[in-house]
């Protein structure tokens, strides 16, 4: 959380934005609905900034700002490495989704999105569902991931889960020479929209799945559907496991958890899993853990909503998502050949595309 520390040390928002060259940050406030939101646009070289809206009860505004800056940068890299013509953006709504979310709040948020005139296109993220997006859509056309009943592509989470599963299999292939997950002990932390779909793939393949979630009802729900074991938050990182799949929020790969973590692979859906990219990306490498870069393997949802913008084709979206397997293998190879952390290999590839296409756009 070094960025929060920076902020509290007196850096201005513009100074924070300059660290990773964010283009624009919009603060949204509306007393009548209780809406407090931040929209961050990281980069629009490849196209309009697309990224979901997250609703979360952040402890303070600095935490929310830090999250949205990190998430929007991740979206630029995700689109770039996946070959999509999209920029990176993200929004956060501050507050407990189970308590303060309402039609009016979502529609007011939609008005703010609309005021950006297409520079930012929103979608679902943690704490937001397709119904909420219907409300946003009442105020703006710059929405993706709409319900199928409205002609949209529906919840992107199953596609995201498929991509994570592909990335995980690529990691298994690299680590063990065989991409089968049968008998592998996999811990899925966070069994929400993506987590539950991932669990289904893993159980089907014969993996030994452990789950954890802060909400008891989620655990009960998944236990009713699949043969899984529960692991408590206290025991999670001490558990002997083959694969750790973070599917809740980011920054779980940090000093404390890494000191206990015993696994061969990290591959999950959560964005920004490395608390500090430089420090923890290097640490996982030193520990001999193969880290599948988050923005690479969780790109299925983005592929799906991008397809919606172009005229939705589920089969094409799934085929493109399946290709995450090959891209992930390639990143692992570059990382091994150049002896660099996997996140560095992935970042380099994403930055290269943004730079090259940026030059093409400037040419006649
Ligand atoms: P979700 O809100 O449906 O699920 C998140 C789950 O994590 C919830 O069940 C929540 O209770 C649980 N959780 C939160 N904090 C936790 C903690 N500390 N320990 C254990 N469980 C915890 O969200 P989702 O759509 O499944 O997304 C999961 C992650 O994947 C997020 O980081 C999201 O940004 C990322 N992601 C999602 C998609 C998508 O298509 N939905 C695409 C790319 C990335």
């Amino acid at each position: 959380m070094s960025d929060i520390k920076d902020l509290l040390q007196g850096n201005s928002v513009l100074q924070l934005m300059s660290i990773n060259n964010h283009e624009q940050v919009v603060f949204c406030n509306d007393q009548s609905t209780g809406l407090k939101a931040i929209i961050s646009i990281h980069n629009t070289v490849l196209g309009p900034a697309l990224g979901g809206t997250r609703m979360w009860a952040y402890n303070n505004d600095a935490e929310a700002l830090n999250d949205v800056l990190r998430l929007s940068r991740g979206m630029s890299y995700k689109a770039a490495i996946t070959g999509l013509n999209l920029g990176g953006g993200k929004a956060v709504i501050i507050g407990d989704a189970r308590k303060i979310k309402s039609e009016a709040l979502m529609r007011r948020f939609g008005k703010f999105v609309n005021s950006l005139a297409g520079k930012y296109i929103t979608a679902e993220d943690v704490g937001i569902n397709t119904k909420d997006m219907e409300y946003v859509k009442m105020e703006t056309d710059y929405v993706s991931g709409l319900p199928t009943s409205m002609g949209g592509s529906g919840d992107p989470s199953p596609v995201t889960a498929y991509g994570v599963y592909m990335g995980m299999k690529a990691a298994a292939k690299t680590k063990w020479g065989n991409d089968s997950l049968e008998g592998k002990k996999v811990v899925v932390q966070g069994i929400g929209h993506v987590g539950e779909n991932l669990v289904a793939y893993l159980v089907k393949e014969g993996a030994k799945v452990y789950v954890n979630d802060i909400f008891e009802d989620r655990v009960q729900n998944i236990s009713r559907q699949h043969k899984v074991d529960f692991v408590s938050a206290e025991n999670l990182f001490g558990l002997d496991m083959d694969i750790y799949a973070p599917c809740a929020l980011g920054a779980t790969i940090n000093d404390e958890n890494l000191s206990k973590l015993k696994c061969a692979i990290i591959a999950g859906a959560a964005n920004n899993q490395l608390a500090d990219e430089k420090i923890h990306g290097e640490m996982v490498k030193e520990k001999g853990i193969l880290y599948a870069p988050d923005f690479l393997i969780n790109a299925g949802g983005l592929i799906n909503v991008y397809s919606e913008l172009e005229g939705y084709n589920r089969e094409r979206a799934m085929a493109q998502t399946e290709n995450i397997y090959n891209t992930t293998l390639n990143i692992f190879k570059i990382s091994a050949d150049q002896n660099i952390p996997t996140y560095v290999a992935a970042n380099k590839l994403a930055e290269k595309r943004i730079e090259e296409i940026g030059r093409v756009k400037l040419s006649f």
Side-chain angles (χ1 to χ4, degrees):
M1 291 281 161
S2 58
D3 293 359
I4 290 184
K5 238 188 282 157
D6 288 343
L7 190 112
L8 296 178
Q9 278 168 4
N11 278 329
S12 70
V13 174
L14 281 167
Q15 280 167 325
L16 284 183
M17 286 170 68
S18 68
I19 295 171
N20 286 306
N21 206 13
H22 285 75
E23 280 180 24
Q24 191 176 0
V25 174
V26 181
F27 292 86
C28 317
N29 175 56
D30 180 62
Q31 249 173 5
S32 67
T33 57
L35 175 74
K36 293 200 184 307
I38 311 173
I39 300 170
S40 169
I41 295 169
H42 174 252
N43 188 293
T44 53
V45 167
L46 296 176
L50 194 151
T53 297
R54 171 172 296 190
M55 186 157 189
W56 194 252
Y58 293 99
N59 290 315
N60 51 54
D61 297 353
E63 205 177 280
L65 177 61
N66 178 57
D67 208 23
V68 79
L69 290 176
R70 279 164 56 93
L71 289 164
S72 57
R73 174 173 175 253
M75 293 307 294
S76 297
Y77 281 50
K78 190 184 306 201
I81 205 164
T82 313
L84 304 176
N85 290 322
L86 290 171
K90 203 88 182 181
V92 293
I93 298 178
I94 301 168
D96 187 335
R98 293 190 178 204
K99 290 188 184 146
I100 70 158
K101 200 163 64 178
S102 67
E103 175 187 349
L105 183 141
M106 292 313 301
R107 289 181 68 164
R108 187 69 187 91
F109 174 70
K111 275 194 176 288
F112 279 110
V113 171
N114 201 50
S115 71
L116 289 165
K119 195 172 177 189
Y120 169 65
I121 302 171
T122 197
E124 278 179 54
D125 194 60
V126 175
I128 298 291
N129 56 42
T130 43
K131 183 73 195 163
D132 301 323
M133 281 299 133
E134 275 183 48
Y135 294 136
V136 174
K137 168 75 179 162
M138 289 174 191
E139 306 298 337
T140 182
D141 282 336
Y142 304 118
V143 186
S144 54
L146 289 168
T148 42
S149 58
M150 293 178 76
S153 56
D155 179 7
S157 310
V159 189
T160 302
Y162 186 55
V164 172
Y165 175 57
M166 287 296 112
M168 195 181 276
K169 284 177 82 63
K173 172 94 178 153
T174 303
K175 197 77 185 172
W176 300 305
N178 180 334
D179 69 12
S180 170
L181 299 173
E182 192 178 354
K184 299 294 181 203
K185 205 163 160 183
V186 187
V187 175
V188 181
Q189 182 188 30
I191 36 174
H193 291 95
V194 181
E196 69 175 356
N197 284 287
L198 178 64
V199 167
Y201 282 118
L202 296 173
V203 170
K204 194 166 173 221
E205 194 169 332
K208 179 146 185 44
V209 181
Y210 286 74
V211 297
N212 169 265
D213 201 286
I214 47 172
F215 290 117
E216 180 67 29
D217 56 344
R218 301 265 195 194
V219 176
Q220 281 171 359
N221 181 38
I222 202 93
S223 305
R224 270 196 297 272
Q225 297 176 59
H226 303 287
K227 195 178 167 303
V228 293
D229 287 304
F230 171 74
V231 58
S232 67
E234 301 73 51
N235 295 331
L236 193 153
F237 290 100
L239 196 76
D240 252 319
M241 60 182 111
D242 294 305
I243 301 171
Y244 166 51
C247 295
L249 297 189
T252 58
I253 307 173
N254 52 39
D255 287 345
E256 193 192 337
N257 294 340
L258 265 182
S259 68
K260 292 181 261 176
L261 190 62
K262 287 173 273 181
C263 67
I265 288 168
I266 299 174
N271 287 307
N272 297 321
Q273 293 165 23
L274 300 168
D276 185 309
E277 217 176 49
K278 289 193 182 76
I279 297 170
H280 304 109
E282 190 63 51
M283 270 169 84
V284 286
K285 180 173 178 280
E286 276 165 21
K287 280 187 79 136
I289 298 173
L290 188 61
Y291 167 66
D294 46 16
F295 66 81
L296 166 61
I297 72 166
N298 72 12
L302 186 63
I303 292 170
N304 202 53
V305 292
Y306 184 66
S307 168
E308 180 178 323
L309 298 177
E310 295 211 307
Y312 189 53
N313 181 331
R314 175 82 171 192
E315 273 165 38
R316 191 161 174 268
M318 287 304 270
Q320 220 179 330
T321 301
E322 195 161 299
N323 195 43
I324 287 176
Y325 181 90
N326 294 320
T327 317
T328 310
L329 282 182
N330 184 36
I331 290 298
F332 290 150
K333 186 172 180 312
I334 296 171
S335 153
D337 289 352
Q338 299 182 16
N339 192 24
I340 53 176
T342 54
Y343 89 89
V344 176
N347 281 4
K348 277 186 171 182
L349 211 66
E351 284 161 5
K352 186 165 171 272
R353 179 158 181 259
I354 295 172
E355 210 182 294
E356 286 178 358
I357 303 304
R359 274 202 297 271
V360 170
K361 287 197 167 184
L362 286 175
S363 62
F364 289 101

